[in-house]
């Protein structure tokens, strides 16, 4: 995924909020734990004039963000997605795949759901590290068809929020044996739709949740798999 980038500028949170309000460009907001991603999400929701929806890959993530699951909101089946026409759908006891052709039968939503989707101006996807590439493409295909606007995400602005060094997408080996024919990897940034657009990359760098410099250093080392013997010694002081 190619993107424009904003890093270490003064008040990146304020810039993000203003950018979301004043443009229609997609944004990938990232940062370590404790840098204020969730706080900023809530501030954007409270202040935006846009019709906004929050979704997340899992139920717990959706609850934490004050939203709903992706599958629930878009009424998508729990299956893999092959981003092609004319490919035979696959359904076995352990693996299921929809295609662009077969997924269209799930677009027969009630009028209320169709109206909600057609009125979306801002789609916020939280905990995006867990979002699979094929699921993002299924969301894109749904938005284009239900909104009848054949542009990326049906013309909806998307705010991706998450830390790619946290929980990764879950994909069965059997699923990957099929998906590898269409994707370079399973992370959301491998999605076909993100080859058509360039989300602005914004990274929050100041940690607000912790003030202890030594503890922050250890957390950063753990995050980057660079733990030292000194770090272990400090942590062992708190083990009884």
């Amino acid at each position: 995924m190619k993107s424009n980038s904003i890093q270490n500028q003064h008040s990146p949170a304020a810039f993000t909020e203003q950018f979301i309000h004043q443009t229609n460009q997609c944004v990938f907001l990232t940062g370590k734990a404790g840098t204020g991603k969730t706080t900023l999400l809530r501030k954007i929701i409270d202040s935006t004039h846009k019709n906004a929806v929050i979704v997340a890959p899992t139920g717990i993530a959706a609850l934490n963000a004050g939203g709903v699951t992706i599958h629930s909101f878009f009424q998508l089946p729990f299956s893999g997605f092959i981003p092609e026409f004319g490919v035979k759908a696959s359904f076995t006891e352990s693996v299921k795949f929809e295609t662009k052709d077969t997924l269209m039968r799930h677009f027969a939503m009630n009028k209320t759901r169709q109206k909600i989707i057609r009125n979306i101006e801002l789609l916020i996807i939280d905990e995006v590290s867990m979002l699979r590439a094929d699921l993002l493409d299924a969301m894109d295909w749904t938005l284009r068809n239900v909104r009848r606007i054949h542009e990326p995400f049906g013309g909806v602005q998307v705010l991706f929020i998450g830390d790619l060094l946290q929980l990764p997408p879950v994909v069965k080996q059997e699923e990957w044996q099929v998906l590898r024919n269409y994707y370079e990897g399973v992370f959301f940034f491998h999605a076909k739709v993100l080859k058509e657009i360039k989300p602005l990359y914004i990274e929050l760098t100041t940690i607000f949740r912790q003030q202890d410099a030594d503890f922050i250093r250890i957390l950063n080392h753990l995050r980057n798999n660079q733990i030292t013997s000194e770090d272990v010694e400090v942590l062992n002081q708190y083990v009884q």
Side-chain angles (χ1 to χ4, degrees):
M1 177 182 72
K2 295 181 180 180
S3 67
N4 299 314
S5 158
I6 296 289
Q7 290 190 29
N8 298 318
Q9 292 197 5
H10 66 284
S11 190
F15 173 85
T16 304
E17 187 178 1
Q18 183 180 21
F19 191 85
I20 290 294
H21 294 337
Q22 297 181 0
T23 79
N24 193 45
Q25 186 174 339
C26 294
V27 175
F28 173 34
L29 176 68
T30 189
K32 305 167 187 173
T35 53
K37 297 187 298 296
T38 300
T39 299
L40 180 54
L41 182 160
R42 290 170 180 157
K43 190 173 181 182
I44 288 171
I45 286 295
D46 289 341
S47 62
T48 187
H49 63 279
K50 298 180 179 180
N51 291 324
V53 171
I54 305 173
V55 297
T58 67
I60 292 176
L63 286 172
N64 289 338
V68 296
T69 66
I70 291 168
H71 287 88
S72 172
F73 182 77
F74 290 100
Q75 298 185 0
L76 293 172
F78 288 98
S79 62
F81 177 65
I82 297 174
E84 300 285 349
F85 288 110
V87 179
K88 185 178 180 181
S90 173
F91 297 93
T92 68
E93 290 186 3
S94 58
V95 177
K96 297 179 180 179
F97 282 100
E98 300 280 352
T99 69
K100 281 190 170 182
D101 297 298
T102 64
L103 193 66
M104 293 179 76
R105 69 174 181 265
H106 296 280
F107 299 161
M109 306 169 180
N110 62 47
K111 291 182 178 180
T112 300
R113 181 55 55 111
Q114 288 183 12
K115 184 177 180 180
I116 291 172
I117 291 178
R118 287 172 182 164
N119 287 335
I120 295 175
E121 296 173 288
L122 173 63
L123 176 65
I124 300 174
I125 308 175
D126 199 24
E127 298 296 352
V128 75
S129 69
M130 296 186 285
L131 177 60
R132 283 172 36 165
D134 60 325
L135 180 54
L136 183 57
D137 278 333
M139 295 164 64
D140 169 57
W141 185 235
T142 302
L143 286 166
R144 293 185 195 222
N145 283 274
V146 175
R147 290 170 60 83
R148 298 172 185 169
I149 300 174
H150 289 281
E151 299 175 2
F153 302 114
V156 174
Q157 182 181 29
V158 181
L159 171 59
F160 302 94
I161 301 179
D163 176 6
L164 292 179
L165 290 184
Q166 294 187 15
L167 292 172
V170 176
V171 59
K172 298 177 183 176
Q173 188 60 35
E174 294 173 85
E175 290 179 305
W176 179 239
Q177 291 304 313
V178 174
L179 292 175
R180 66 189 297 182
N181 296 311
Y182 306 94
Y183 293 101
E184 296 176 4
V186 297
F187 285 90
F188 85 98
F189 52 79
H190 292 116
K192 301 289 186 184
V193 64
L194 292 188
K195 296 183 183 298
E196 300 182 48
I197 59 172
K198 296 180 179 180
L200 180 71
Y201 177 93
I202 301 176
E203 182 177 2
L204 304 180
T205 56
T206 302
I207 297 176
F208 297 100
R209 193 179 298 166
Q210 288 291 337
Q211 301 300 321
D212 187 322
D214 290 333
F215 189 45
I216 290 174
R217 185 197 72 244
I218 293 172
L219 289 175
N220 286 333
H221 286 174
L222 284 168
R223 182 174 186 270
N224 297 314
N225 196 26
Q226 296 174 338
I227 198 74
T228 67
S229 56
E230 180 184 354
D231 297 332
V232 173
E233 185 176 340
V234 172
L235 291 173
N236 281 337
Q237 296 175 14
Y238 299 93
V239 177
Q240 296 182 357

